[in-house]
Amino acid sequence: MRLKLRGMKWGSVRRRAVAILLLVFGLLLAADLSTASIPDDNPIPSIFEPHSTPADSIFHLSRFVLAITGMIFLVVFVLLVYVLVKYRARTTDSPHEPPQVYGSTQIELAWTVIPILIVVVLFLATTRVIRAIQDAPEPANVVEVTAIGHQFWWEFRYPALGVVTANELHIPVSDPANPTPTYLKLLSADTDHSFWVPQLAGKTDLIPGRVNTMWMDPHRTGVFLGQCAQYCGTQHAKMLLEVFVDSREDFQAWVNAQKQPAKQEEDVGAGRHVFETTACVNCHAVAGTLATGRFGPDLTHMMSRRTIASGAAENTPENLGMWIQDPEMIKPGSLMPAMKLSDSDQDALVRYLETLR
Amino acid sequence: MSSDAMTIRAAGAAGRPWVEAVQDWITTVDHKRLGILYILYALLFLLIGGLEAIVIRIQLMRPHNDFVSPQVFNRMFTMHGTTMIFFVIMPVMFGFANYLVPLMIGARDMAFPRLNAFSFWLTAFGGLLLYFSFLGGSGLYGAGNAPDVGWWAYAPLTSRAFSPGHSADYWTIAVLVSGFGSIGTATNIIATILSMRCPGMTLSRMPLMAWMTLVMSGLVLISISPLSAAQIMLLVDRYLGGHFFDTQAGGSATLWMHFFWIFGHPEVYILVIPAFAFASEIIPVFSRKPIFGYPVMVAATVSIGFISMSVWAHHMFTIGMSAASNTFFVLTTMAIAVPTGIKIFNWLGTMWGGKIQFKTPMLFSIAFLFQFLIAGLTGVMLGTAPFNWQLSGSYFVVAHFHYVIVGAILFCIFGAIYYWYPKITGRMLNERLGKLHFWLFVVGFHLTFDPMHIPGVLGMPRRIYTYEPGRGWDSWNVIVSVGAFIQGIATLLFLANLVLSYFKGRKAGSDPWDAWTLEWSVSSPPPVYNFAVIPAVRSRRPLWDQKHPEDPDSRYE
Ligand SMILES: [Cu+2]
Ligand SMILES: [Cu+2]
């Protein structure tokens, strides 16, 4: 084995090493993907697969930083290994101490100046990207969304469009020729949160008593995953986030549907009665009814969402029933209380909720 | 049989009764005993904090695991962080400073022995108070126990609205009390180094360990105070109707962040500068050469101390600061990389041309060099604000700072224990167990913290008790957990070595490593008074001068 290795060219050794690394990486990823529950077109929220300008500029900067730090690493690592091999104590050494060297001004100057130069380069590159992202001029056609972090869910309001929704953010794709970026105004109703969808932009915190902003202009349609990235309490882990980047037509259709008041279907009157006569209405809003609470997610079109409770469970009738019976079963520590309804009330209620499309 | 018992009892009566020994230790004001107490206390908490880490890693081994509830998980990472920072690394560093600094500068004790004891016991009670929260945290309210606010305890999560009960109070008061202990000890160290050096020990002849401990203590004074102030303000908010951080009444969440990180960043250097100190003592001895560029090392340490006070907001790049502020903190953060880099090169320069002996303390120091290099480079990545907007709050950061705290600091602490254990106990640690510990720990460390960067890059936030499958995080988390278990085993091995070698270890003699600083000139363990005659020194390596009268250092300095 050793002989063979020695016979091989360095290039082929390297190629093989890279191939093995890629294989391992690929196998691990494949293993991870095979356990995926939701079929997504875009399941891995990797920062190295950007689909929007801010994420893309960061990706470019990060490649540059990685290249420089990688080079520094290689140089120092090689030096270290060289020193360890070359200057290891050997049994054949003379018993005398090695020459006692106390320092060298020239050498020390060199390894002060070179890092300073590297730092200057890195600093300039970084500054450019900071300005490009933070001070980007705002084009005329922006979609404005106010995102409000709550313990443990997201509220999204589109003030110009008259739409209110939760947890699943819909935004239009932005064509570079005619950009329609989305500008988010970030607020918090309680503790700190952080809005992070790695493929679209870096994270920005939602801090009570403070207004933050961020923007993104997705270049392709699809679903992009993210989640709250600032510890905000018990269920910080299940404060998931999905961004649906729709084609312009789909987005318009979605907006039109969301603007409708809630459907009023006759045959679920019983469930609706339960809803409107219990505390649900104090915490939840359903447009066009007397439910105007804002402590929990707006339910007007809750059936248009893929999940409930900020991605904690799929939006199915069974899960809805379980959620209303006792949210602890799905999301222990969530701020919705168990409503302790009778079975028949609960069934009626779920049937009513199912009409809120 | 009965006669055996008789002899034992007789022996006990002849020797000192154990109560007396315990009383001796509790009331001691001897810097060496207090140093040992600090270190033992820290090792105890290392076990506890390690156990918490294991709980965390079991829970995260697979997605949607329910080994512990979210509440318990959140307490675990809060306690793990608080414990490791305030009750493991800081006490260890104070322990070594206490034990070694007087010996190294030729003094008989610290400047204020009783303040020394007082400070230790403050810290000790702080730790007990923190852990008492597991029992008493519910208070009268029956809500929660043990703090679960994260070790930064960000506002407004700590306000009474979001943290009812007393768990947040236990966190605040425990850390506050131990902070007072730290301030006491730091003051003491500064006074000792500035005024108790033996004749001939000018500042420029002090061992680097003394210099670095001095800078570290200065940082403690400057940075613990704002934390203590903020904690008092928090208590005022919670109980006296203040609104400093109470966002529901117009208080400011970012104010707490600033206070915390004005403490928090220098804190990193409070922990890592003593680690540099250990490396700067160990690497020369096992390379058989003096430290390369002593004046530059001192200058780099002092400048790290200063710059470290102007970088805090790099922990806050995501809070929506203006482009100008972000740029400023990028600049200062990058600047600190320069003196840090200089140090790495100077250590390499020390080894260059030497005769490197791979004894266990040196192995840990070499691994430290390698790992600290990587930690520094991932730090540079995190320091470029836009990259930070992606990486901060993710597992990448967790990997980065564990690279610093375990890969650099804990490795140096292990190295220091292997190096000075003979001085402290009079016996050598078992070298074979030591090497086994080293290799096992290296493997565990890299299995844990190398792959941990990747889920961060793939979007996994920190402080989540569970995660979704299918995001590319699952396998990495399994590897990370396995690595953590290996580190746990290695640590147990190390503790076993400490105990076994205490009874069975080879006798050390006063100078087992053929070293050059003053602590090796006295017996192991040193006498209570340290030096029968206060030594006088003429160079940075007094013992070198003694061993090589034909070619003393004093000729060159
Ligand atoms: Cu959150
Ligand atoms: Cu920092």
Side-chain angles (χ1 to χ4, degrees):
Chain A
M1 186 62 209
R2 231 169 90 195
L3 276 177
K4 226 164 130 197
L5 207 74
R6 209 177 276 166
M8 272 193 311
K9 290 244 169 53
W10 166 240
S12 71
V13 174
R14 198 184 51 195
R15 263 200 304 282
R16 267 182 211 197
V18 170
I20 291 173
L21 270 181
L22 281 180
L23 189 71
V24 171
F25 195 84
L27 280 178
L28 285 175
L29 275 185
D32 288 352
L33 283 184
S34 62
T35 55
S37 56
I38 330 165
D40 259 315
D41 54 346
N42 209 13
I44 298 186
S46 165
I47 67 172
F48 291 147
E49 243 175 82
H51 288 296
S52 154
T53 306
D56 203 44
S57 334
I58 296 178
F59 175 53
H60 280 280
L61 175 68
S62 68
R63 276 202 303 201
F64 179 65
V65 176
L66 278 169
I68 291 196
T69 48
M71 253 147 50
I72 301 175
F73 173 76
L74 271 184
V75 171
V76 181
F77 179 65
V78 168
L79 274 176
L80 177 65
V81 172
Y82 175 79
V83 169
L84 292 179
V85 174
K86 177 93 195 285
Y87 298 110
R88 66 184 193 278
R90 295 177 187 127
T91 40
T92 52
D93 279 350
S94 73
H96 296 294
E97 300 280 21
Q100 302 293 297
V101 179
Y102 298 90
S104 151
T105 317
Q106 287 96 327
I107 298 180
E108 285 168 82
L109 205 65
W111 67 48
T112 310
V113 172
I114 297 173
I116 290 181
L117 293 180
I118 297 177
V119 158
V120 169
V121 172
L122 278 175
F123 170 69
L124 292 178
T126 307
T127 315
R128 267 183 62 179
V129 180
I130 293 180
R131 304 240 6 238
I133 295 175
Q134 282 197 281
D135 296 346
E138 196 175 320
N141 294 324
V142 304
V143 177
E144 284 181 344
V145 182
T146 304
I148 306 168
H150 293 259
Q151 274 187 328
F152 312 107
W153 60 281
W154 305 90
E155 176 178 355
F156 297 118
R157 304 189 148 244
Y158 300 64
L161 304 175
V163 170
V164 180
T165 184
N167 302 331
E168 297 174 10
L169 176 66
H170 283 255
I171 59 177
V173 69
S174 177
D175 169 10
N178 178 18
T180 48
T182 301
Y183 273 67
L184 289 179
K185 192 160 127 193
L186 303 170
L187 309 172
S188 166
D190 36 52
T191 60
D192 300 335
H193 306 273
S194 194
F195 186 99
W196 189 29
V197 182
Q199 291 175 286
L200 300 183
K203 63 182 75 60
T204 308
D205 295 355
L206 300 83
I207 298 169
R210 191 181 165 98
V211 182
N212 279 337
T213 52
M214 66 183 283
W215 63 279
M216 47 207 186
D217 60 345
H219 298 150
R220 52 158 273 204
T221 57
V223 184
F224 297 91
L225 304 176
Q227 65 191 84
C228 177
Q230 180 69 273
Y231 178 62
C232 55
T234 311
Q235 270 298 350
H236 164 58
K238 288 207 177 147
M239 190 162 160
L240 307 179
L241 188 52
E242 286 184 358
V243 178
F244 290 73
V245 176
D246 301 332
S247 69
R248 234 170 251 197
E249 302 73 50
D250 287 355
F251 179 69
Q252 201 50 52
W254 179 82
V255 169
N256 291 340
Q258 296 288 312
K259 268 165 65 173
Q260 305 300 316
K263 296 228 172 61
Q264 309 274 350
E265 285 176 20
E266 285 310 314
D267 52 342
V268 292
R272 188 169 158 214
H273 181 74
V274 176
F275 186 79
E276 291 181 350
T277 52
T278 54
C280 311
V281 290
N282 297 335
C283 292
H284 294 286
V286 176
T289 74
L290 50 78
T292 54
R294 279 191 63 187
F295 185 74
D298 188 295
L299 300 181
T300 313
H301 300 287
M302 61 156 289
M303 289 316 287
S304 71
R305 299 199 278 268
R306 195 159 81 172
T307 61
I308 54 169
S310 218
E314 268 175 79
N315 191 355
T316 61
E318 302 79 64
N319 284 344
L320 263 180
M322 213 177 356
W323 176 257
I324 291 161
Q325 193 192 346
D326 186 3
E328 293 286 308
M329 290 194 286
I330 290 178
K331 197 170 172 181
S334 101
L335 296 189
M336 170 156 154
M339 295 304 291
K340 305 211 163 54
L341 301 177
S342 69
D343 283 353
S344 58
D345 278 1
Q346 186 181 311
D347 290 346
L349 185 53
V350 170
R351 249 173 287 135
Y352 165 64
L353 291 178
E354 276 179 84
T355 64
L356 298 175
R357 314 206 155 265
Chain B
M1 184 67 209
S2 70
S3 74
D4 269 10
M6 290 293 287
T7 38
I8 288 170
R9 201 167 301 145
R16 289 181 324 155
W18 63 272
V19 243
E20 206 174 284
V22 170
Q23 207 234 346
D24 265 9
W25 278 89
I26 289 179
T27 58
T28 186
V29 292
D30 174 17
H31 74 100
K32 294 184 290 303
R33 285 196 161 186
L34 285 165
I36 294 171
L37 283 176
Y38 260 123
I39 295 171
L40 289 179
Y41 169 84
L43 287 177
L44 173 69
F45 276 98
L46 178 70
L47 263 185
I48 300 175
L51 211 65
E52 286 155 355
I54 295 291
V55 172
I56 291 173
R57 281 325 311 178
I58 295 178
Q59 168 70 11
L60 291 180
M61 211 149 147
R62 54 193 180 86
H64 292 173
N65 200 358
D66 54 6
F67 178 66
V68 290
S69 68
Q71 287 87 349
V72 169
F73 185 88
N74 296 345
R75 284 172 205 146
M76 284 298 129
F77 72 68
T78 303
M79 294 296 271
H80 170 72
T82 309
T83 305
M84 290 302 195
I85 299 283
F86 294 103
F87 301 105
V88 178
I89 313 273
M90 289 199 54
V92 164
M93 297 313 187
F94 282 137
F96 275 106
N98 244 306
Y99 196 98
L100 294 171
V101 166
L103 284 167
M104 284 185 159
I105 63 172
R108 288 203 168 125
D109 204 321
M110 299 280 276
F112 309 114
R114 281 193 286 184
L115 173 64
N116 203 7
F118 178 65
S119 303
F120 166 73
W121 288 106
L122 273 185
T123 303
F125 280 114
L128 293 184
L129 199 59
L130 183 69
Y131 275 86
F132 184 72
S133 66
F134 273 114
L135 304 175
S138 310
L140 296 174
Y141 298 86
N145 70 38
D148 60 355
V149 289
W151 83 274
W152 319 332
Y154 264 12
L157 209 54
T158 47
S159 69
R160 285 225 283 189
F162 301 108
S163 287
H166 291 311
S167 65
D169 301 325
Y170 276 97
W171 181 87
T172 313
I173 296 174
V175 175
L176 183 67
V177 166
S178 87
F180 288 146
S182 306
I183 291 176
T185 299
T187 316
N188 207 348
I189 292 173
I190 294 176
T192 308
I193 294 180
L194 291 186
S195 58
M196 312 252 310
R197 300 189 309 275
C198 66
M201 175 81 64
T202 58
L203 282 180
S204 63
R205 284 191 194 144
M206 287 198 307
L208 275 181
M209 163 103 190
W211 257 113
M212 295 184 173
T213 312
L214 181 66
V215 173
M216 171 261 208
S217 305
L219 280 179
V220 168
L221 290 193
I222 293 169
S223 67
I224 298 275
S225 320
L227 177 65
S228 304
Q231 286 169 326
I232 292 170
M233 289 154 79
L234 177 60
L235 288 174
V236 170
D237 271 13
R238 281 177 66 89
Y239 292 104
L240 299 176
H243 303 301
F244 295 108
F245 311 119
D246 175 4
T247 47
Q248 290 175 322
S252 165
T254 47
L255 180 66
W256 172 272
M257 298 180 190
H258 283 292
F259 267 115
F260 187 85
W261 290 114
I262 282 175
F263 148 78
H265 189 87
E267 171 71 9
V268 178
Y269 286 91
I270 289 172
L271 304 179
V272 86
I273 287 178
F276 294 166
F278 302 153
S280 303
E281 295 300 325
I282 294 171
I283 290 176
V285 168
F286 292 97
S287 307
R288 309 307 306 156
K289 280 180 65 212
I291 189 85
F292 190 89
Y294 174 98
V296 172
M297 283 302 256
V298 172
T301 310
V302 174
S303 60
I304 287 179
F306 276 109
I307 304 175
S308 78
M309 285 181 275
S310 63
V311 302
W312 76 89
H314 67 203
H315 297 266
M316 300 161 58
F317 278 141
T318 62
I319 70 157
M321 292 187 294
S322 70
S325 322
N326 283 332
T327 308
F328 173 79
F329 286 104
V330 170
L331 184 63
T332 52
T333 303
M334 297 265 152
I336 212 164
V338 175
T340 314
I342 293 176
K343 291 198 155 177
I344 293 189
F345 285 119
N346 276 8
W347 286 315
L348 280 176
T350 307
M351 296 179 353
W352 192 284
K355 289 182 182 171
I356 302 170
Q357 304 168 341
F358 295 100
K359 299 269 171 57
T360 312
M362 186 63 174
L363 288 180
F364 276 103
S365 303
I366 293 168
F368 148 77
L369 268 186
F370 173 68
Q371 282 140 203
F372 185 62
L373 168 69
I374 296 176
L377 294 175
T378 52
V380 168
M381 297 175 202
L382 285 162
T384 56
F387 204 1
N388 180 289
W389 295 332
Q390 289 286 22
L391 298 177
S392 93
S394 80
Y395 258 90
F396 188 91
V397 177
V398 180
H400 159 73
F401 70 73
H402 280 90
Y403 241 93
V404 178
I405 292 177
V406 181
I409 298 172
L410 190 61
F411 268 72
C412 279
I413 291 174
F414 283 142
I417 292 179
Y418 280 93
Y419 184 63
W420 280 294
Y421 184 91
K423 176 56 54 190
I424 296 174
T425 62
R427 287 177 189 268
M428 307 294 287
L429 276 170
N430 185 304
E431 186 72 8
R432 278 182 58 195
L433 267 182
K435 292 224 161 97
L436 187 61
H437 165 218
F438 171 76
W439 287 111
L440 211 55
F441 204 82
V442 165
V443 170
F445 172 83
H446 285 281
L447 268 185
T448 308
F449 297 113
D450 298 1
M452 192 187 270
H453 291 87
I454 295 170
V457 165
L458 300 181
M460 179 168 173
R462 65 193 288 196
R463 297 180 162 175
I464 51 175
Y465 77 91
T466 192
Y467 52 94
E468 298 301 300
R471 301 200 170 187
W473 310 340
D474 313 14
S475 313
W476 302 111
N477 276 294
V478 176
I479 305 177
V480 169
S481 294
V482 170
F485 303 148
I486 297 180
Q487 287 186 72
I489 296 170
T491 308
L492 292 180
L493 209 66
F494 163 69
L495 293 177
N497 195 355
L498 287 185
V499 175
L500 288 179
S501 300
Y502 183 78
F503 297 106
K504 296 243 163 75
R506 195 158 51 78
K507 285 268 191 310
S510 64
D511 184 15
W513 311 115
D514 192 6
W516 304 309
T517 36
L518 282 180
E519 76 270 28
W520 305 105
S521 67
V522 296
S523 63
S524 309
V528 189
Y529 45 84
N530 292 355
F531 301 96
V533 179
I534 293 289
V537 301
R538 255 175 262 108
S539 79
R540 285 172 203 144
R541 296 190 298 170
L543 267 63
W544 170 275
D545 292 0
Q546 222 171 66
K547 293 170 189 169
H548 301 270
E550 76 293 347
D551 183 29
D553 265 5
S554 46
R555 193 178 292 166
Y556 305 98
E557 280 171 15

